[in-house]
Each structure stands twice: as C-alpha cells, then as structure tokens.
C-alpha cells in the first residue's frame, strides 16, 4: 500500500531561552488513502505539533529541524509557501480544537467557507456561496441558507464545529486532520461530531488523522492508533490489538484510565506523575520515572522503537510485559 | 441596525443641547462686564452701554437663552462685533478650509498610521519593525508646531516645492488646493500617524496570534489576504476608539497649523476672536467644535457596530 501521507524522521524544535527543545523527536508514520489513524497522547506529547507540521503551519519560534513529510509522494518539507498554500485546504485540511476561537468573529459563516473554495477553484462568488450552503447542509446544520448568513457567536459550540468541518471538507481533501475536535464540546455533541466525521470519511473516501488525548474516542472507529509521549512515538498498533494487549506501559496506563461503565471502581486508576518538561528530560526512557515496570537498566538509554509486523513499541521490556 | 442608529442619534440630542448651553453661558460666566472688556479701556460709558444692548446683555439671562435657542434653530449665531457680519456667514466661509485640511490629514493618518502599524506587526522584531516604530515615536514626540516650521523652511523656503502658506479654493484650482494643503496636512497628520501606528501594531499583534488566523492560513489563503481580511478586519475594532481620540486631537491641532501656514480656517477665526474678545464668534465656534466632537463620537459608535457583529447583534 502506498501511503497518502508519509512522515519520516520528523523533528520539530522550538527555540527557547534554555536552548532548542524538540517537541516532536524523530517521528515516522504513514497514513494510507482513506485510512483512519488516531494519534493519542497527553498535553505536551507533540501530537498537535505533528499535525501543524504536516499542514506547514509551524510558526516561529518552532521549526521543522529535520525529516520528511510526503503527501501523495510530494515532499512538503522545504516546499515554498506559494506551493504549500495550494495544498492546504485543498488536498489536506484541518479542524481545530476551539471552534469559537478558530472562526473569525466578524465574518459570516458562509463567507468563511466560500472563501476557501474561491481561492482554490475557479468559481464565481455566487457559485461558491451556494456551495457553502450545500456544505452546511452536508454537515447536518438545519436551515443552512439561513445559518450561512450567521456570525459564529450566533451559533452553538456543536454548530460551530460542524461549520469548521464544512470549511475543511469544502474542497474535498484527501486527508482531513482533526486536532481534538470534540474536546471543547459537551459529551452528547462529542458523539454527534464523531459520527459526522465517520460518515463524511465514508462518503468522501477521505483519510482521517484524529488527534486526541482520549483513547476512548479512537477505540471504536480508528483503524490504527499511534501513542505519543514527550515528543516520541512509544507505540503503534491496529486499534483492536492495542486495546487487546498494549505493549508499552504508557499505553497500558492510558487504557486503564478509561472509565468503564461495566466495572464499578472506587477510584479511576491514573498514571502517577506528569509529562516531563522537554528541556529537562529524564535519562534513558522518557517514561521511566512514571513507569511501574521500570528497572535500573531503563535509565541508561532511551529505548529505540522496535517493529513487530504491524505493531511497534519503544519499551525494552515489551516482551516481558507481553508475556506478563 | 436601524434601531441602533436611531437610538444613538436620539441619545446625542441632550449632549448637544448641553454643549450649546455651555457655549451660550460663556458670556455670563466671564468675570466682569463683557461689554466693558470688549469695548476696551478707552471706551466711554455710552459706547459700553450701546455694546451691551448690541450683545443683548441688558436683558435677563433666561430671556437671552430662549432667544439664543430660537436663533440657533433658524441658523442665526448672532453678529460678530469685530467683523461686522453674521457669525454664521463667517463660519460658513472658513469651515471648508478646515474641513479640507482635516480630511486631507485624516486620509494621510489612516493610510500611513495603519500601514506602518500593519507592516511593523507582520515583521515583528525585525529591522522593518524597528524603522516603522522609530518613525512612529518621532511623530509622537516632535511637536506639530516645530515640525510645521521645519517643513516650511525646508520644502517651501529652501526647495520651493510648496507654497509657504495661503489657501486656494478647490472650486478655482483643485490641484493648487491640494498642493497648498500638503505641508499643513502632513504637519497635522504626523503626530496622529505615530499614535495610530503604535496602536495598530499592538492591535495586530494581538489578533495575529488568535486561532482564527491559523484557520485562515489552514484554508490555503495567501499571507497578505490573511493579514488584511482576517487580522486587520478584527484589529480595526479597537482602533476605532483611537480614531475618535485622533479626530479630537486634530480639531485642536488645526488651530496651530492654520496659524503657521496662514490658512483662513476655523482655527484662526477662533484664535483671532479670542484675542479680540469677540464673544459671538467664540460662542459660535465653540458650539460648532463641540458639536463636531459629539458627532465624531457618534460616528465612532456606529463604526463599531458596522465593524463588529457582536455589537450589532448583542441583545
């Protein structure tokens, strides 16, 4: 299978007063055409930065220090802004976390969608406006013609996120990146938005890259899951295999901390400690200080990512754990 | 929107009434007998008495007030003592000069103030930013008056590019009028340019780091379009307030600039009237300026609503 998006050895650094820190460190992964990949991790794991890097939207003081990002075989790293602009919004689009902050408060919703179409396709203003209304209907907004004339603050959070999605799919991109698309919404709306993303993916054959801190969100729908920790990929696996048997203690910890309606537990298990600061990483394995299975040897060297068929993990004790 | 405009217009009426009342009261508020002050030290008692009748000071305050408002409604601002003609006529003659100067300076302020601010914000912390902000600080720091004199010396006296002063009516020679007003307008605009450039820069920096700017870029829009349509469209909202302040500063600035460039505008009319204690002209001029300021604020409020749907649709 030739990948739609192929990321190789991607390192994104941010210049700080304490020197450059790598928010994403030597990350490699593929997304196939029409595939649904979930990237999971806590805040600061580098998942959002990965998405921004793919879109060419990393801004100073951040920069792509090394690596390659190919979309349909075309190298995006180092591509001139003029060429990158034609890819953004047309072949690859992104939905952001805060639908209120991510929409321009002084522009009508319909205009915000129509302008994306007009800059990519040779269509009249009237045709673009009509398509914006159609798109609002497609994402399940009632009375789309009326809503197209509304301003963002006149809509509910869920409506705004639907409008963001309409904007992103306006030019039928091959890849849709959704960065925490439901985090700012309440639970019932979350489910609706996830259903919408799934149905749009099936209908348009888009690949979907979902970035979330919530493993539960990817559980039922994603084809594959990639777990990130402190800028590194620690585990990659088909969703079912990951849930059946995680190979990395961090993934196992994340799975444990998903509430289960079937099991009554007095306290929800949590992973002790916090994600280390990128400028003060612990020696050896980055997860070591929080790991239940850590041994003295874990602090000597950062374990490399090892592949086992379709799975990969970056834990030196993976086989012991798999047997445990 | 129509309701909002109507409400704003109605709420401006009491303010204008108060303003006219204050302008009217000046003559009664000055210490001593205005007629005696106007007539001067050498005047005879009979002359002062005549002047008092001419000014209507022989009648009680309330009677005069009713007359003043009555006259005002029919566009009569009284007669100037020095010019020996109706005040309204003198103002009508001078106002176009000041309006032309103000409009010219306003255009310069908007174009260069907003332009410098946007460029500085987009190129934040580079040499471009440094240069823009240096120009802005110089503009704010150098007094209008001194700069105007400097301009006259350099561009008018030494280089001869512009006249040293004077006014050409637009009706007679539009190009000549623009040339004659260029140095005064630049002098009047420069301080405002500095102020507006600095405010624009900070407003733009604030907006440029917002999420919707990233969304606009993610849509594949060109950088200049993101800056002008999405960022500037939002940054203009706080700048409208600044524009109100700038217009007020300009109105007071015209007084100095008109004197330096000997332009026959409102500013000079009022300065001369103050020097000679020509109260009817002072009253008329003051009322006009105050009304203009009230209208400026009204326009600012309406601009807010026009630029920001959150104001328009707030319940």
């Amino acid at each position: 299978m030739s990948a739609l998006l192929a990321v190789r050895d991607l390192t994104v650094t941010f210049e700080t007063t304490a020197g450059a820190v790598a928010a994403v460190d030597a990350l490699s992964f593929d997304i196939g055409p029409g595939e649904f990949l979930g990237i999971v991790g806590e805040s600061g794991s580098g998942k959002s930065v990965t998405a921004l890097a793919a879109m060419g939207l990393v801004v100073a003081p951040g920069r792509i220090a090394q690596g390659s990002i190919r979309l349909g075989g075309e190298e995006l790293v180092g591509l001139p802004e003029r060429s990158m602009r034609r890819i953004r919004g047309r072949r690859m689009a992104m939905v952001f976390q805060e639908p209120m902050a991510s929409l321009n408060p002084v522009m009508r919703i319909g205009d915000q969608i129509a302008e994306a179409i007009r800059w990519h396709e040779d269509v009249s203003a009237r045709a673009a406006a009509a398509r914006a209304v159609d798109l609002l209907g497609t994402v399940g907004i009632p009375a789309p013609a009326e809503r197209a004339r509304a301003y963002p603050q006149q809509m509910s959070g869920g409506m705004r996120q639907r409008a963001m999605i309409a904007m992103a799919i306006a030019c039928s991109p091959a890849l849709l990146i959704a960065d925490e698309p439901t985090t700012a919404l309440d639970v019932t709306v979350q489910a609706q938005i996830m259903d919408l993303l799934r149905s749009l993916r099936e209908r348009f054959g888009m690949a979907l890259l979902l970035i979330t801190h919530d493993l539960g969100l990817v559980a039922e729908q994603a084809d594959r899951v990639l777990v990130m920790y402190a800028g590194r990929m620690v585990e990659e696996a088909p969703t079912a295999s990951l849930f059946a048997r995680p190979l990395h203690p961090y993934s196992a910890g994340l799975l444990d901390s998903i509430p289960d309606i079937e099991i009554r537990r007095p306290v929800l298990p949590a992973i002790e400690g916090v994600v280390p600061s990128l400028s003060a990483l612990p020696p050896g394995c980055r997860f070591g200080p929080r790991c239940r299975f850590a041994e003295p040897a874990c602090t000597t060297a950062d374990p490399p990512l090892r592949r086992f068929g379709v799975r990969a993990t970056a834990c030196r004790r993976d086989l012991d754990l798999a047997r445990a | 929107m129509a309701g909002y405009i109507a409400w704003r217009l109605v709420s401006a009426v009491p303010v204008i009434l108060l303003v006219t009342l204050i302008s009217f009261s000046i003559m009664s508020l000055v210490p001593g007998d205005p007629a005696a002050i106007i007539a001067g030290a050498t005047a005879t008692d009979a002359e002062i008495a005549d002047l008092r009748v001419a000014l209507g000071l022989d009648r009680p305050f309330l009677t005069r007030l009713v007359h003043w408002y009555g006259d005002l409604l029919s566009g009569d601002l009284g007669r100037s003592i020095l010019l020996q003609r109706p005040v309204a006529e003198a103002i009508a003659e001078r106002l176009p000069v000041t309006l032309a100067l103000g409009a010219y300076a306003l255009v310069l302020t908007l174009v260069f103030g907003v332009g410098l601010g946007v460029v500085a914000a987009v190129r934040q912390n580079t040499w471009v930013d440094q240069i823009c902000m240096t120009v802005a600080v110089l503009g704010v720091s150098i007094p209008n008056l001194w700069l105007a004199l400097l301009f006259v010396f350099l561009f008018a006296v030494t280089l001869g590019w512009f006249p040293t002063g004077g006014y050409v009516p637009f009706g007679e020679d539009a190009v000549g009028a623009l040339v004659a007003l260029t140095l005064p307008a630049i002098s009047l605009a420069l301080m405002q340019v500095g102020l507006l450039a600095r405010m624009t820069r900070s407003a733009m920096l604030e907006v440029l780091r917002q999420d919707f700017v990233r969304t606009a870029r993610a849509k594949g829009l060109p950088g200049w379009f993101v800056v002008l349509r999405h960022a500037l469209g939002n940054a203009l909202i706080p700048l409208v307030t600044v524009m109100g302040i700038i217009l007020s500063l300009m109105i007071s600035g015209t007084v100095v600039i008109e004197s330096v460039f000997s332009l026959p505008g409102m500013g000079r009319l009022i300065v001369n009237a103050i020097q000679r204690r020509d109260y009817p002209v002072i009253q008329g001029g003051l009322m006009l300026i105050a009304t203009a300021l009230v209208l400026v604020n009204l326009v600012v409020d309406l601009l807010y609503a026009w630029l920001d749907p959150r104001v328009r649709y707030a319940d």
Side-chain angles (χ1 to χ4, degrees):
Chain A
M1 180 181 72
S2 77
L4 172 68
L5 184 80
V7 174
R8 289 293 171 273
D9 209 23
L10 177 70
T11 300
V12 182
T13 57
F14 281 79
E15 210 58 54
T16 69
T17 45
V21 296
V24 176
D25 194 355
L27 180 70
S28 301
F29 68 92
D30 285 347
I31 302 176
E35 192 185 15
F36 183 170
L37 175 71
I39 296 187
V40 178
E42 285 169 85
S43 309
S45 61
K47 52 195 197 306
S48 292
V49 176
T50 304
L52 290 175
M55 290 290 290
L57 290 176
V58 172
V59 291
R63 67 183 190 93
I64 296 178
Q66 62 168 6
S68 148
I69 300 169
R70 286 169 179 275
L71 182 73
E74 185 184 2
E75 178 61 55
L76 303 184
V77 177
L79 199 65
E81 176 61 23
R82 184 178 288 272
S83 315
M84 194 64 215
R85 215 165 68 205
R86 283 198 275 270
I87 291 172
R88 271 188 219 128
R90 192 164 68 92
R91 293 173 56 198
M92 167 162 74
M94 189 159 170
V95 174
F96 296 95
Q97 177 172 351
E98 287 281 349
M100 184 68 214
S102 299
L103 288 166
N104 188 335
V106 305
M107 263 177 92
R108 293 175 197 277
I109 292 288
D111 294 343
Q112 297 193 49
I113 299 171
E115 73 172 357
I117 301 169
R118 291 212 71 195
W119 279 100
H120 288 299
E121 294 171 29
D122 188 19
V123 292
S124 69
R126 186 185 292 264
R131 253 173 71 186
V133 172
D134 287 346
L135 282 160
L136 287 175
T138 305
V139 297
I141 289 182
E146 204 174 296
R147 294 276 96 184
R149 287 193 301 273
Y151 288 93
Q153 80 279 359
Q154 295 172 298
M155 300 175 116
S156 68
M159 285 288 183
R160 287 180 204 135
Q161 196 58 295
R162 283 175 193 270
M164 277 294 290
I165 292 170
M167 197 182 292
I169 63 168
C171 299
S172 313
L175 172 64
L176 178 64
I177 302 175
D179 185 2
E180 303 268 12
T182 61
T183 307
L185 307 173
D186 59 47
V187 184
T188 49
V189 181
Q190 268 188 24
Q192 292 167 10
I193 294 291
M194 285 309 297
D195 282 347
L196 174 65
L197 285 173
R198 182 175 48 196
S199 71
L200 289 174
R201 182 181 148 241
E202 280 162 11
R203 186 163 157 193
F204 296 105
M206 291 182 298
L208 180 60
L209 174 58
L210 177 73
I211 289 166
T212 179
H213 64 276
D214 183 356
L215 253 183
L217 219 55
V218 299
E220 293 156 32
Q221 298 171 23
D223 299 317
R224 271 188 311 137
V225 180
L226 200 149
V227 181
M228 285 185 74
Y229 187 79
R232 290 272 179 94
M233 186 205 295
V234 293
E235 179 158 7
E236 179 186 348
T239 312
S241 330
L242 181 84
F243 276 78
R245 184 167 284 274
L247 291 182
H248 196 282
Y250 179 61
S251 318
L254 285 181
L255 285 176
D256 273 346
S257 58
I258 300 175
D260 189 332
I261 201 160
E262 304 288 327
I263 305 168
R264 187 174 289 276
R265 290 184 287 194
V267 179
L268 193 65
I271 305 171
E272 293 289 320
V274 291
V275 183
S277 157
L278 291 170
S279 55
L281 290 168
C285 177
R286 292 177 180 191
F287 186 60
R290 301 172 71 186
C291 182
R292 281 183 294 157
F293 305 98
E295 302 174 322
C298 289
T299 59
T300 54
D302 201 358
L305 192 74
R306 286 182 296 159
R307 297 205 164 265
F308 309 92
V310 293
R311 305 194 61 166
T313 179
C315 178
R316 44 176 295 282
R317 298 199 58 198
D318 54 72
L319 292 180
D320 307 341
L321 296 177
R323 263 180 244 116
Chain B
M1 188 67 187
Y4 182 77
I5 295 176
W7 185 78
R8 291 297 319 177
L9 281 172
V10 169
S11 61
V13 170
V15 183
I16 290 183
L17 279 178
L18 192 68
V19 160
T20 48
L21 180 65
I22 293 171
S23 338
F24 169 76
S25 313
I26 289 179
M27 218 179 320
S28 310
L29 291 172
V30 277
D33 182 354
I37 296 169
I38 295 169
T42 56
T44 62
D45 284 350
E47 280 170 349
I48 293 174
D50 285 347
L51 197 55
R52 196 172 290 139
V53 173
L55 289 168
L57 287 170
D58 54 334
R59 289 174 293 170
F61 181 83
L62 281 177
T63 316
R64 281 186 285 134
L65 183 65
V66 170
H67 273 277
W68 158 261
Y69 274 119
D71 290 348
L72 205 58
L73 284 176
S74 57
D76 182 1
L77 294 170
R79 272 185 82 80
S80 163
I81 298 152
L82 280 161
L83 304 172
Q84 292 297 328
R85 58 192 291 207
V87 172
E89 203 180 290
I91 287 177
E93 191 182 288
R94 304 298 194 98
L95 196 59
V97 181
T98 303
L99 285 180
L101 172 65
Y104 196 166
L106 182 65
V107 169
L108 290 178
T109 303
L110 281 175
V111 170
F112 289 98
V114 173
L116 282 176
V118 168
V119 169
V122 171
R123 297 268 172 272
Q124 191 197 2
N125 297 333
T126 64
W127 61 270
V128 181
D129 183 15
Q130 296 277 338
I131 288 177
C132 289
M133 284 306 104
T134 306
V135 171
V137 170
L138 282 179
V140 174
S141 321
I142 300 174
N144 275 359
L145 171 72
W146 186 72
L147 196 80
L149 291 171
L150 216 66
F151 278 173
V152 170
F153 180 71
L154 180 64
F155 294 111
V157 178
T158 309
L159 295 170
W161 292 353
F162 296 98
T164 52
Y167 176 71
V168 185
F170 269 92
E172 286 173 23
D173 176 7
V175 177
L178 274 181
V179 171
L181 282 176
T182 297
L183 280 188
I186 292 176
S187 310
L188 184 56
L190 214 84
M191 178 178 161
Q192 274 70 260
V193 166
L195 184 66
L196 189 59
R198 293 177 66 82
M199 299 303 289
T200 305
R201 179 178 180 270
S202 62
M204 281 296 285
L205 287 177
E206 179 70 28
V207 172
L208 280 172
R209 57 183 184 77
Q210 306 257 336
D211 288 352
F212 64 79
V213 171
R214 189 180 56 190
T215 307
R217 292 185 63 212
K219 279 191 263 187
L221 310 180
W224 63 266
F225 186 81
V226 174
V227 167
L228 295 182
R229 178 76 172 92
H230 288 266
L232 189 58
N234 279 273
L236 281 179
I237 297 164
L239 291 182
V240 166
T241 318
V242 182
M243 281 314 300
I245 298 168
I246 281 176
L247 279 169
S248 323
L249 285 174
M250 271 191 178
I251 290 175
S252 55
T254 51
V255 176
V256 173
I257 298 297
E258 282 173 11
S259 300
V260 173
F261 288 95
S262 32
L263 292 170
M266 281 295 297
R268 263 180 73 208
L269 181 72
I270 294 172
V271 169
N272 286 338
I274 292 171
Q275 280 169 350
R276 313 274 194 79
R277 307 284 192 276
D278 191 352
Y279 283 106
V281 174
I282 299 175
Q283 282 178 330
L286 194 69
M287 198 198 66
L288 194 75
I289 288 179
T291 310
L293 285 174
V294 171
L295 289 179
V296 162
N297 280 302
L298 181 69
V299 170
V300 163
D301 280 343
L302 294 181
L303 267 179
Y304 261 131
W306 182 63
L307 285 169
D308 192 347
R310 286 164 295 190
V311 173
R312 230 179 302 156
Y313 293 104
D315 292 317

